[in-house]
């Protein structure tokens, strides 16, 4: 396997796009920006798999158009895990039988939180039990079922209002469930080579984690937070700013697990109050000051475990 090189600066990002014009995503769409960065990092020898979700509906659902300049394959909502195994297996078999020249081909599943954290979680788990190289599952997490009307998923944060968890007289808080941590679930698989979290900021962090995942020698997972202007009720201009604030407030923790060794990639110092992140989003507008302070306290308590994990270089579960 030939190892891809990491990017040392923004100047090294290739100008060519493999996720191009012709898409119908919303202005400021976080997953679309993420798709562009990820495809640049992976390079041309890549097959993308797209379970049903925002990036399927907006990119390839109608009119037979496609923004992809590399092979792309649609699967049913819960089928990303199995489809990736099938493609990786077929490529290996064809190369072993001499029916295809040996080469490194990336197989990347770009599944949303509905496709990877909810309906397709079992397929993701199954994929991590195999030994296929250059097989990467990316959970692009916009924290809800955005293309079907902004319904809550298991990664919707506590306190957010959605059409399934509307803030009102009966439940003024909105969503009362706590966000599922898909990266921690992935890290519990004994043979997984690489697990990481990422967001749109800083961009090189996301791109280099894609490179490390593909170089890791086995199945890997990146759980990426990608803001959604439609479902978060935010300005399209704030998408990258929200990614940055998610990290700087500690609401989203950047870490990676390489062959079982934990590494904290960013420690906000000083950590900003979560109010700065929430105040830009309409889905949290109903929260009272005491609710926001409670959320900030939960973040502070959780960070004890992240710091301890960094100190010991192994994951210590915060829950």
């Amino acid at each position: 396997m030939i190892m891809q090189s990491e990017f040392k600066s923004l100047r090294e990002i290739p100008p060519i796009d493999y996720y191009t014009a012709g898409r119908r995503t919303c202005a400021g769409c976080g997953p679309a920006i993420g798709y562009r960065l990820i495809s640049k990092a992976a390079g041309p020898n890549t097959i993308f798999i797209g379970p049903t979700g925002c990036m399927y509906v907006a990119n390839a659902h109608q009119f037979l158009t496609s923004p992809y300049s590399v092979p792309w394959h649609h699967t049913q909502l819960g089928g990303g895990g199995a489809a990736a195994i099938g493609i990786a297996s077929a490529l290996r078999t064809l190369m072993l039988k001499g029916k295809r020249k040996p080469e490194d081909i990336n197989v990347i599943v770009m599944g949303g939180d509905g496709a990877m954290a909810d309906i397709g979680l079992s397929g993701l788990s199954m994929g991590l039990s195999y030994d296929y190289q250059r097989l990467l599952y990316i959970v692009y997490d916009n924290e809800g079922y955005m293309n079907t009307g902004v319904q809550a998923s298991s990664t919707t944060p506590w306190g957010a209002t959605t059409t399934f968890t509307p803030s009102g007289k009966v439940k003024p808080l909105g969503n009362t469930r706590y966000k599922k941590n898909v990266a921690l679930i992935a890290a519990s698989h004994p043979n997984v080579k690489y697990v990481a979290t990422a967001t749109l900021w800083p961009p090189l962090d996301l791109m280099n984690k894609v490179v490390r995942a593909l170089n890791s020698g086995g199945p890997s997972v990146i759980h990426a937070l990608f803001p959604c202007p439609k479902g978060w009720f935010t300005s399209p201009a704030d998408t990258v700013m929200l990614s940055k604030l998610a990290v700087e407030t500690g609401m989203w923790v950047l870490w990676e697990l390489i062959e079982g060794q934990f590494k904290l990639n960013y420690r906000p110092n000083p950590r900003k109050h979560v109010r700065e992140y929430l105040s830009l989003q309409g889905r949290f507008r109903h929260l009272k000051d005491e609710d926001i302070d409670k959320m900030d306290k939960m973040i502070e308590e959780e960070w004890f475990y992240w710091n301890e994990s960094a100190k010991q270089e192994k994951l210590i579960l915060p829950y």
Side-chain angles (χ1 to χ4, degrees), residues 124-163:
L124 168 64
S125 177
M126 179 178 64
L128 297 180
S129 68
Y130 284 80
D131 64 348
Y132 295 109
Q133 297 180 350
R134 297 196 168 280
L135 173 56
L136 169 59
Y137 294 96
I138 294 181
V139 185
Y140 70 83
D141 185 2
N142 55 15
E143 303 185 325
Y145 291 81
M146 300 313 187
N147 77 83
T148 53
V150 195
Q151 295 90 4
S153 75
S154 61
T155 67
T156 300
W158 182 87
T161 188
T162 70
T163 51

mmCIF file of all heavy atoms in Angstrom, residues 124-163:
data_model
loop_
_atom_site.group_PDB
_atom_site.id
_atom_site.type_symbol
_atom_site.label_atom_id
_atom_site.label_comp_id
_atom_site.label_asym_id
_atom_site.label_seq_id
_atom_site.Cartn_x
_atom_site.Cartn_y
_atom_site.Cartn_z
ATOM 1 N N LEU A 124 -22.368 -0.122 9.872
ATOM 2 C CA LEU A 124 -21.098 0.522 10.207
ATOM 3 C C LEU A 124 -20.291 -0.378 11.138
ATOM 4 O O LEU A 124 -19.098 -0.615 10.931
ATOM 5 C CB LEU A 124 -21.356 1.872 10.866
ATOM 6 C CG LEU A 124 -20.162 2.562 11.532
ATOM 7 C CD1 LEU A 124 -19.097 2.917 10.511
ATOM 8 C CD2 LEU A 124 -20.621 3.816 12.278
ATOM 9 N N SER A 125 -20.951 -0.903 12.160
ATOM 10 C CA SER A 125 -20.283 -1.782 13.124
ATOM 11 C C SER A 125 -19.732 -3.031 12.433
ATOM 12 O O SER A 125 -18.607 -3.458 12.697
ATOM 13 C CB SER A 125 -21.267 -2.170 14.228
ATOM 14 O OG SER A 125 -20.681 -3.063 15.136
ATOM 15 N N MET A 126 -20.513 -3.596 11.525
ATOM 16 C CA MET A 126 -20.067 -4.792 10.815
ATOM 17 C C MET A 126 -18.840 -4.467 9.963
ATOM 18 O O MET A 126 -17.870 -5.239 9.934
ATOM 19 C CB MET A 126 -21.190 -5.316 9.915
ATOM 20 C CG MET A 126 -20.831 -6.558 9.108
ATOM 21 S SD MET A 126 -22.216 -7.139 8.130
ATOM 22 C CE MET A 126 -22.467 -5.770 7.014
ATOM 23 N N GLY A 127 -18.862 -3.330 9.288
ATOM 24 C CA GLY A 127 -17.734 -2.961 8.435
ATOM 25 C C GLY A 127 -16.437 -2.840 9.203
ATOM 26 O O GLY A 127 -15.359 -3.150 8.679
ATOM 27 N N LEU A 128 -16.526 -2.413 10.466
ATOM 28 C CA LEU A 128 -15.317 -2.226 11.269
ATOM 29 C C LEU A 128 -14.724 -3.543 11.747
ATOM 30 O O LEU A 128 -13.637 -3.568 12.319
ATOM 31 C CB LEU A 128 -15.631 -1.319 12.468
ATOM 32 C CG LEU A 128 -16.073 0.097 12.116
ATOM 33 C CD1 LEU A 128 -16.351 0.901 13.363
ATOM 34 C CD2 LEU A 128 -15.016 0.792 11.255
ATOM 35 N N SER A 129 -15.444 -4.649 11.540
ATOM 36 C CA SER A 129 -14.933 -5.950 11.979
ATOM 37 C C SER A 129 -14.108 -6.635 10.883
ATOM 38 O O SER A 129 -13.542 -7.695 11.122
ATOM 39 C CB SER A 129 -16.097 -6.850 12.407
ATOM 40 O OG SER A 129 -16.888 -7.196 11.272
ATOM 41 N N TYR A 130 -14.052 -6.050 9.686
ATOM 42 C CA TYR A 130 -13.282 -6.640 8.587
ATOM 43 C C TYR A 130 -11.861 -6.036 8.554
ATOM 44 O O TYR A 130 -11.497 -5.231 9.420
ATOM 45 C CB TYR A 130 -13.998 -6.399 7.252
ATOM 46 C CG TYR A 130 -15.193 -7.313 7.051
ATOM 47 C CD1 TYR A 130 -16.422 -7.038 7.649
ATOM 48 C CD2 TYR A 130 -15.081 -8.451 6.277
ATOM 49 C CE1 TYR A 130 -17.508 -7.870 7.473
ATOM 50 C CE2 TYR A 130 -16.167 -9.294 6.088
ATOM 51 C CZ TYR A 130 -17.378 -8.995 6.694
ATOM 52 O OH TYR A 130 -18.451 -9.827 6.520
ATOM 53 N N ASP A 131 -11.088 -6.455 7.545
ATOM 54 C CA ASP A 131 -9.689 -6.009 7.483
ATOM 55 C C ASP A 131 -9.378 -5.259 6.193
ATOM 56 O O ASP A 131 -8.215 -5.182 5.800
ATOM 57 C CB ASP A 131 -8.746 -7.210 7.619
ATOM 58 C CG ASP A 131 -8.874 -8.192 6.451
ATOM 59 O OD1 ASP A 131 -9.837 -8.054 5.668
ATOM 60 O OD2 ASP A 131 -8.009 -9.078 6.319
ATOM 61 N N TYR A 132 -10.374 -4.721 5.543
ATOM 62 C CA TYR A 132 -10.134 -4.051 4.261
ATOM 63 C C TYR A 132 -9.376 -2.743 4.472
ATOM 64 O O TYR A 132 -9.760 -1.915 5.286
ATOM 65 C CB TYR A 132 -11.453 -3.791 3.532
ATOM 66 C CG TYR A 132 -12.159 -5.067 3.142
ATOM 67 C CD1 TYR A 132 -13.326 -5.454 3.781
ATOM 68 C CD2 TYR A 132 -11.621 -5.892 2.160
ATOM 69 C CE1 TYR A 132 -13.959 -6.642 3.437
ATOM 70 C CE2 TYR A 132 -12.242 -7.085 1.819
ATOM 71 C CZ TYR A 132 -13.408 -7.451 2.462
ATOM 72 O OH TYR A 132 -14.007 -8.628 2.135
ATOM 73 N N GLN A 133 -8.317 -2.598 3.679
ATOM 74 C CA GLN A 133 -7.554 -1.357 3.735
ATOM 75 C C GLN A 133 -8.263 -0.269 2.921
ATOM 76 O O GLN A 133 -9.022 -0.550 2.017
ATOM 77 C CB GLN A 133 -6.146 -1.585 3.179
ATOM 78 C CG GLN A 133 -5.333 -2.579 3.985
ATOM 79 C CD GLN A 133 -3.938 -2.785 3.420
ATOM 80 O OE1 GLN A 133 -3.621 -2.345 2.334
ATOM 81 N NE2 GLN A 133 -3.093 -3.454 4.179
ATOM 82 N N ARG A 134 -7.978 0.959 3.282
ATOM 83 C CA ARG A 134 -8.521 2.131 2.575
ATOM 84 C C ARG A 134 -10.049 2.142 2.538
ATOM 85 O O ARG A 134 -10.664 2.563 1.574
ATOM 86 C CB ARG A 134 -7.935 2.245 1.163
ATOM 87 C CG ARG A 134 -6.437 2.466 1.168
ATOM 88 C CD ARG A 134 -5.884 2.957 -0.130
ATOM 89 N NE ARG A 134 -4.502 3.409 0.041
ATOM 90 C CZ ARG A 134 -4.129 4.598 0.535
ATOM 91 N NH1 ARG A 134 -5.058 5.461 0.888
ATOM 92 N NH2 ARG A 134 -2.871 4.901 0.670
ATOM 93 N N LEU A 135 -10.635 1.621 3.586
ATOM 94 C CA LEU A 135 -12.094 1.649 3.751
ATOM 95 C C LEU A 135 -12.417 2.639 4.874
ATOM 96 O O LEU A 135 -12.050 2.424 6.029
ATOM 97 C CB LEU A 135 -12.617 0.250 4.110
ATOM 98 C CG LEU A 135 -14.103 0.140 4.491
ATOM 99 C CD1 LEU A 135 -14.999 0.694 3.395
ATOM 100 C CD2 LEU A 135 -14.458 -1.313 4.794
ATOM 101 N N LEU A 136 -13.046 3.713 4.506
ATOM 102 C CA LEU A 136 -13.304 4.798 5.458
ATOM 103 C C LEU A 136 -14.791 5.128 5.530
ATOM 104 O O LEU A 136 -15.430 5.359 4.497
ATOM 105 C CB LEU A 136 -12.511 6.052 5.033
ATOM 106 C CG LEU A 136 -12.840 7.374 5.752
ATOM 107 C CD1 LEU A 136 -12.622 7.262 7.251
ATOM 108 C CD2 LEU A 136 -11.997 8.509 5.165
ATOM 109 N N TYR A 137 -15.308 5.132 6.739
ATOM 110 C CA TYR A 137 -16.687 5.562 6.981
ATOM 111 C C TYR A 137 -16.657 6.975 7.566
ATOM 112 O O TYR A 137 -16.033 7.204 8.594
ATOM 113 C CB TYR A 137 -17.385 4.627 7.972
ATOM 114 C CG TYR A 137 -17.599 3.226 7.448
ATOM 115 C CD1 TYR A 137 -16.700 2.200 7.739
ATOM 116 C CD2 TYR A 137 -18.704 2.922 6.660
ATOM 117 C CE1 TYR A 137 -16.892 0.910 7.259
ATOM 118 C CE2 TYR A 137 -18.911 1.636 6.172
ATOM 119 C CZ TYR A 137 -18.005 0.641 6.478
ATOM 120 O OH TYR A 137 -18.205 -0.632 5.998
ATOM 121 N N ILE A 138 -17.313 7.891 6.884
ATOM 122 C CA ILE A 138 -17.430 9.258 7.404
ATOM 123 C C ILE A 138 -18.874 9.525 7.777
ATOM 124 O O ILE A 138 -19.776 9.419 6.934
ATOM 125 C CB ILE A 138 -16.933 10.286 6.370
ATOM 126 C CG1 ILE A 138 -15.421 10.110 6.155
ATOM 127 C CG2 ILE A 138 -17.230 11.708 6.840
ATOM 128 C CD1 ILE A 138 -14.814 11.078 5.172
ATOM 129 N N VAL A 139 -19.073 9.828 9.041
ATOM 130 C CA VAL A 139 -20.404 10.203 9.520
ATOM 131 C C VAL A 139 -20.484 11.720 9.455
ATOM 132 O O VAL A 139 -19.892 12.408 10.278
ATOM 133 C CB VAL A 139 -20.632 9.722 10.969
ATOM 134 C CG1 VAL A 139 -22.064 10.025 11.408
ATOM 135 C CG2 VAL A 139 -20.299 8.247 11.112
ATOM 136 N N TYR A 140 -21.159 12.240 8.438
ATOM 137 C CA TYR A 140 -21.316 13.699 8.379
ATOM 138 C C TYR A 140 -22.555 14.042 9.199
ATOM 139 O O TYR A 140 -23.674 13.763 8.866
ATOM 140 C CB TYR A 140 -21.346 14.227 6.940
ATOM 141 C CG TYR A 140 -22.552 13.917 6.102
ATOM 142 C CD1 TYR A 140 -23.711 14.691 6.181
ATOM 143 C CD2 TYR A 140 -22.535 12.864 5.207
ATOM 144 C CE1 TYR A 140 -24.813 14.418 5.401
ATOM 145 C CE2 TYR A 140 -23.621 12.576 4.419
ATOM 146 C CZ TYR A 140 -24.764 13.352 4.514
ATOM 147 O OH TYR A 140 -25.865 13.067 3.740
ATOM 148 N N ASP A 141 -22.295 14.626 10.329
ATOM 149 C CA ASP A 141 -23.314 14.810 11.365
ATOM 150 C C ASP A 141 -23.850 16.234 11.324
ATOM 151 O O ASP A 141 -23.180 17.173 11.755
ATOM 152 C CB ASP A 141 -22.666 14.493 12.723
ATOM 153 C CG ASP A 141 -23.661 14.524 13.868
ATOM 154 O OD1 ASP A 141 -24.858 14.758 13.608
ATOM 155 O OD2 ASP A 141 -23.232 14.315 15.018
ATOM 156 N N ASN A 142 -25.061 16.401 10.788
ATOM 157 C CA ASN A 142 -25.705 17.715 10.867
ATOM 158 C C ASN A 142 -26.847 17.694 11.883
ATOM 159 O O ASN A 142 -27.677 18.574 11.913
ATOM 160 C CB ASN A 142 -26.174 18.211 9.494
ATOM 161 C CG ASN A 142 -27.082 17.222 8.798
ATOM 162 O OD1 ASN A 142 -27.600 16.292 9.426
ATOM 163 N ND2 ASN A 142 -27.307 17.417 7.507
ATOM 164 N N GLU A 143 -26.837 16.645 12.698
ATOM 165 C CA GLU A 143 -27.644 16.572 13.919
ATOM 166 C C GLU A 143 -29.148 16.559 13.666
ATOM 167 O O GLU A 143 -29.915 17.163 14.408
ATOM 168 C CB GLU A 143 -27.233 17.692 14.876
ATOM 169 C CG GLU A 143 -25.754 17.645 15.228
ATOM 170 C CD GLU A 143 -25.310 18.655 16.280
ATOM 171 O OE1 GLU A 143 -25.856 19.775 16.284
ATOM 172 O OE2 GLU A 143 -24.436 18.298 17.093
ATOM 173 N N GLY A 144 -29.551 15.868 12.590
ATOM 174 C CA GLY A 144 -30.980 15.714 12.347
ATOM 175 C C GLY A 144 -31.251 15.199 10.946
ATOM 176 O O GLY A 144 -30.350 15.118 10.110
ATOM 177 N N TYR A 145 -32.499 14.843 10.711
ATOM 178 C CA TYR A 145 -32.934 14.410 9.367
ATOM 179 C C TYR A 145 -33.367 15.658 8.613
ATOM 180 O O TYR A 145 -34.537 16.024 8.598
ATOM 181 C CB TYR A 145 -34.082 13.406 9.493
ATOM 182 C CG TYR A 145 -33.666 12.075 10.081
ATOM 183 C CD1 TYR A 145 -33.526 11.912 11.450
ATOM 184 C CD2 TYR A 145 -33.407 10.980 9.260
ATOM 185 C CE1 TYR A 145 -33.134 10.695 11.993
ATOM 186 C CE2 TYR A 145 -33.018 9.755 9.785
ATOM 187 C CZ TYR A 145 -32.888 9.621 11.154
ATOM 188 O OH TYR A 145 -32.498 8.421 11.681
ATOM 189 N N MET A 146 -32.399 16.325 7.981
ATOM 190 C CA MET A 146 -32.643 17.665 7.470
ATOM 191 C C MET A 146 -33.428 17.681 6.164
ATOM 192 O O MET A 146 -34.229 18.581 5.931
ATOM 193 C CB MET A 146 -31.315 18.397 7.310
ATOM 194 C CG MET A 146 -30.531 18.538 8.621
ATOM 195 S SD MET A 146 -31.579 19.133 9.993
ATOM 196 C CE MET A 146 -30.365 19.387 11.278
ATOM 197 N N ASN A 147 -33.194 16.695 5.266
ATOM 198 C CA ASN A 147 -33.864 16.782 3.963
ATOM 199 C C ASN A 147 -35.306 16.305 4.008
ATOM 200 O O ASN A 147 -36.054 16.484 3.051
ATOM 201 C CB ASN A 147 -33.060 16.019 2.904
ATOM 202 C CG ASN A 147 -33.247 14.535 3.001
ATOM 203 O OD1 ASN A 147 -34.209 13.989 2.484
ATOM 204 N ND2 ASN A 147 -32.340 13.847 3.673
ATOM 205 N N THR A 148 -35.731 15.699 5.122
ATOM 206 C CA THR A 148 -37.118 15.251 5.227
ATOM 207 C C THR A 148 -37.929 16.121 6.175
ATOM 208 O O THR A 148 -39.064 15.778 6.508
ATOM 209 C CB THR A 148 -37.177 13.791 5.707
ATOM 210 O OG1 THR A 148 -36.421 13.654 6.922
ATOM 211 C CG2 THR A 148 -36.639 12.848 4.662
ATOM 212 N N GLY A 149 -37.357 17.237 6.640
ATOM 213 C CA GLY A 149 -38.152 18.155 7.442
ATOM 214 C C GLY A 149 -37.602 18.451 8.814
ATOM 215 O O GLY A 149 -38.339 18.857 9.718
ATOM 216 N N VAL A 150 -36.306 18.235 9.025
ATOM 217 C CA VAL A 150 -35.624 18.586 10.282
ATOM 218 C C VAL A 150 -36.206 17.815 11.468
ATOM 219 O O VAL A 150 -36.633 18.399 12.474
ATOM 220 C CB VAL A 150 -35.655 20.107 10.540
ATOM 221 C CG1 VAL A 150 -34.652 20.490 11.637
ATOM 222 C CG2 VAL A 150 -35.367 20.905 9.283
ATOM 223 N N GLN A 151 -36.244 16.485 11.311
ATOM 224 C CA GLN A 151 -36.628 15.658 12.451
ATOM 225 C C GLN A 151 -35.389 15.335 13.300
ATOM 226 O O GLN A 151 -34.268 15.339 12.807
ATOM 227 C CB GLN A 151 -37.274 14.345 11.981
ATOM 228 C CG GLN A 151 -38.593 14.526 11.256
ATOM 229 C CD GLN A 151 -38.430 14.696 9.769
ATOM 230 O OE1 GLN A 151 -37.329 14.618 9.239
ATOM 231 N NE2 GLN A 151 -39.535 14.935 9.073
ATOM 232 N N ALA A 152 -35.614 15.023 14.562
ATOM 233 C CA ALA A 152 -34.499 14.706 15.464
ATOM 234 C C ALA A 152 -33.901 13.348 15.129
ATOM 235 O O ALA A 152 -34.604 12.423 14.725
ATOM 236 C CB ALA A 152 -34.984 14.710 16.909
ATOM 237 N N SER A 153 -32.584 13.246 15.287
ATOM 238 C CA SER A 153 -31.891 11.957 15.207
ATOM 239 C C SER A 153 -31.263 11.686 16.566
ATOM 240 O O SER A 153 -31.399 12.488 17.506
ATOM 241 C CB SER A 153 -30.814 11.997 14.125
ATOM 242 O OG SER A 153 -29.688 12.742 14.571
ATOM 243 N N SER A 154 -30.546 10.578 16.671
ATOM 244 C CA SER A 154 -29.909 10.271 17.964
ATOM 245 C C SER A 154 -28.663 11.129 18.203
ATOM 246 O O SER A 154 -28.053 11.044 19.263
ATOM 247 C CB SER A 154 -29.526 8.790 18.029
ATOM 248 O OG SER A 154 -28.596 8.474 17.006
ATOM 249 N N THR A 155 -28.283 11.961 17.222
ATOM 250 C CA THR A 155 -27.164 12.878 17.465
ATOM 251 C C THR A 155 -27.632 14.325 17.637
ATOM 252 O O THR A 155 -26.811 15.231 17.730
ATOM 253 C CB THR A 155 -26.121 12.816 16.321
ATOM 254 O OG1 THR A 155 -26.710 13.331 15.125
ATOM 255 C CG2 THR A 155 -25.621 11.407 16.095
ATOM 256 N N THR A 156 -28.936 14.549 17.642
ATOM 257 C CA THR A 156 -29.447 15.897 17.918
ATOM 258 C C THR A 156 -29.082 16.288 19.350
ATOM 259 O O THR A 156 -29.307 15.507 20.278
ATOM 260 C CB THR A 156 -30.973 15.937 17.752
ATOM 261 O OG1 THR A 156 -31.303 15.577 16.406
ATOM 262 C CG2 THR A 156 -31.522 17.314 18.051
ATOM 263 N N PRO A 157 -28.515 17.456 19.538
ATOM 264 C CA PRO A 157 -28.079 17.825 20.897
ATOM 265 C C PRO A 157 -29.240 18.133 21.846
ATOM 266 O O PRO A 157 -30.329 18.522 21.408
ATOM 267 C CB PRO A 157 -27.206 19.064 20.654
ATOM 268 C CG PRO A 157 -27.654 19.614 19.354
ATOM 269 C CD PRO A 157 -28.126 18.450 18.531
ATOM 270 N N TRP A 158 -28.943 17.986 23.099
ATOM 271 C CA TRP A 158 -29.876 18.319 24.174
ATOM 272 C C TRP A 158 -30.286 19.793 24.043
ATOM 273 O O TRP A 158 -29.452 20.664 23.826
ATOM 274 C CB TRP A 158 -29.174 18.079 25.515
ATOM 275 C CG TRP A 158 -29.983 18.327 26.745
ATOM 276 C CD1 TRP A 158 -30.800 17.443 27.380
ATOM 277 C CD2 TRP A 158 -30.013 19.535 27.525
ATOM 278 N NE1 TRP A 158 -31.347 18.018 28.500
ATOM 279 C CE2 TRP A 158 -30.879 19.310 28.616
ATOM 280 C CE3 TRP A 158 -29.404 20.781 27.399
ATOM 281 C CZ2 TRP A 158 -31.137 20.278 29.569
ATOM 282 C CZ3 TRP A 158 -29.665 21.747 28.363
ATOM 283 C CH2 TRP A 158 -30.525 21.502 29.427
ATOM 284 N N GLY A 159 -31.597 20.034 24.124
ATOM 285 C CA GLY A 159 -32.087 21.410 24.112
ATOM 286 C C GLY A 159 -32.442 21.949 22.744
ATOM 287 O O GLY A 159 -32.988 23.046 22.638
ATOM 288 N N ALA A 160 -32.166 21.192 21.668
ATOM 289 C CA ALA A 160 -32.465 21.694 20.325
ATOM 290 C C ALA A 160 -33.940 21.457 19.989
ATOM 291 O O ALA A 160 -34.511 20.426 20.334
ATOM 292 C CB ALA A 160 -31.586 21.000 19.295
ATOM 293 N N THR A 161 -34.535 22.415 19.297
ATOM 294 C CA THR A 161 -35.900 22.209 18.825
ATOM 295 C C THR A 161 -35.849 21.675 17.398
ATOM 296 O O THR A 161 -35.064 22.130 16.569
ATOM 297 C CB THR A 161 -36.718 23.519 18.882
ATOM 298 O OG1 THR A 161 -38.090 23.238 18.582
ATOM 299 C CG2 THR A 161 -36.216 24.567 17.908
ATOM 300 N N THR A 162 -36.637 20.626 17.157
ATOM 301 C CA THR A 162 -36.784 20.053 15.818
ATOM 302 C C THR A 162 -38.275 19.794 15.621
ATOM 303 O O THR A 162 -39.085 19.992 16.533
ATOM 304 C CB THR A 162 -36.015 18.716 15.678
ATOM 305 O OG1 THR A 162 -36.680 17.700 16.456
ATOM 306 C CG2 THR A 162 -34.569 18.839 16.143
ATOM 307 N N THR A 163 -38.637 19.310 14.448
ATOM 308 C CA THR A 163 -40.061 19.044 14.235
ATOM 309 C C THR A 163 -40.538 17.834 15.048
ATOM 310 O O THR A 163 -41.738 17.684 15.265
ATOM 311 C CB THR A 163 -40.337 18.786 12.740
ATOM 312 O OG1 THR A 163 -39.439 17.796 12.241
ATOM 313 C CG2 THR A 163 -40.172 20.051 11.932
#
